[in-house]
Amino acid sequence: MDGDRAAARPTRGNAVPRPYPAVLAILLVMFVLRVLGQALVAVFDVPFLPPMQAWYSGLLPYPWLLSSQILIIGLFAGVCFDFARGAGFFAVPRRGFGLALLGLGAAYLGTMLIRYSVRMTLYPGERWVGGSIPTFFHWVLAGFLLTVGIYHWTRGPRQSGRGPPARSTPLVALLAIGGGALIAWVGYRLAHLPPPAAAP
């Protein structure tokens, strides 16, 4: 009985290859530093950091933006914790979940690349660094999603034959809907970018 329990207990080496926790931790720390830097500018107006307008587009009021960033940090910290200990919800490989994250992450990264390209076209005076802080950290978040997605897709068990639908099916559908909504939102924002100022 004790031997069966020991065999069933997840281990770090079995569950998560070593590079994944390190990569995810680095991406999370980068995002935390971005949130902290913007908060320092917003609250204390520190002079050694870029001004507030360089940190975000102003689409959301800053308190709402900060709240969403804290939620993202909490969620990603939970992912990193599961990966580091090799157990927990996010460490159990599921191919359907991985496929959904890969699709969402690719859509997120692709739309941010398009947005950055459009901005560089409309504002040549700001090329290559204008508006780069929020854009770069959108890439960081997309990289986090893609890393988790690769882990689940490559290590999740393959299903053979016909059987009941996978437990991750509702989550796959939810992430797919979220990815579509993200693409639609970015498309809307791109279509409503202000025209470049006329040269004097």
Side-chain angles (χ1 to χ4, degrees), residues 20 24 75-76 79-80 83 89-110 138-154 168-180 182-183:
Y20 285 99
L24 293 177
L75 175 61
F76 283 12
V79 175
C80 288
F83 271 61
F89 175 81
F90 294 107
V92 178
R94 296 178 298 278
R95 284 179 62 83
F97 185 46
L99 180 62
L101 288 180
L102 287 174
L104 180 60
Y108 188 11
L109 179 61
H138 281 304
W139 297 346
V140 169
L141 296 179
F144 194 100
L145 295 177
L146 290 171
T147 302
V148 178
I150 290 171
Y151 164 77
H152 281 274
W153 171 253
T154 57
S168 60
T169 298
L171 186 56
V172 171
L174 180 62
L175 289 175
I177 293 171
L182 175 66
I183 295 172

Side-chain angles (χ1 to χ4, degrees), residues 99-189:
L99 180 62
L101 288 180
L102 287 174
L104 180 60
Y108 188 11
L109 179 61
T111 49
M112 290 301 111
L113 289 171
I114 293 171
R115 177 186 176 185
Y116 186 55
S117 300
V118 169
R119 182 179 181 86
M120 286 194 300
T121 301
L122 292 179
Y123 302 97
E126 297 184 9
R127 195 179 296 170
W128 294 81
V129 297
S132 60
I133 294 177
T135 300
F136 174 76
F137 285 99
H138 281 304
W139 297 346
V140 169
L141 296 179
F144 194 100
L145 295 177
L146 290 171
T147 302
V148 178
I150 290 171
Y151 164 77
H152 281 274
W153 171 253
T154 57
R155 297 184 61 83
R158 298 177 181 270
Q159 294 183 352
S160 58
R162 296 180 180 178
R167 293 182 180 178
S168 60
T169 298
L171 186 56
V172 171
L174 180 62
L175 289 175
I177 293 171
L182 175 66
I183 295 172
W185 174 79
V186 173
Y188 173 83
R189 293 294 297 169

Side-chain angles (χ1 to χ4, degrees), residues 26-45:
I26 290 171
L27 293 173
L28 176 59
V29 169
M30 291 172 65
F31 185 67
V32 169
L33 291 177
R34 176 256 192 275
V35 174
L36 179 61
Q38 185 175 1
L40 288 174
V41 172
V43 177
F44 300 107
D45 194 23

Side-chain angles (χ1 to χ4, degrees), residues 51-74:
M52 191 62 176
Q53 60 267 25
W55 290 91
Y56 81 125
S57 62
L59 179 64
L60 288 175
Y62 179 65
W64 291 13
L65 175 65
L66 180 60
S67 299
S68 66
Q69 290 170 336
I70 292 173
L71 288 175
I72 291 172
I73 290 173

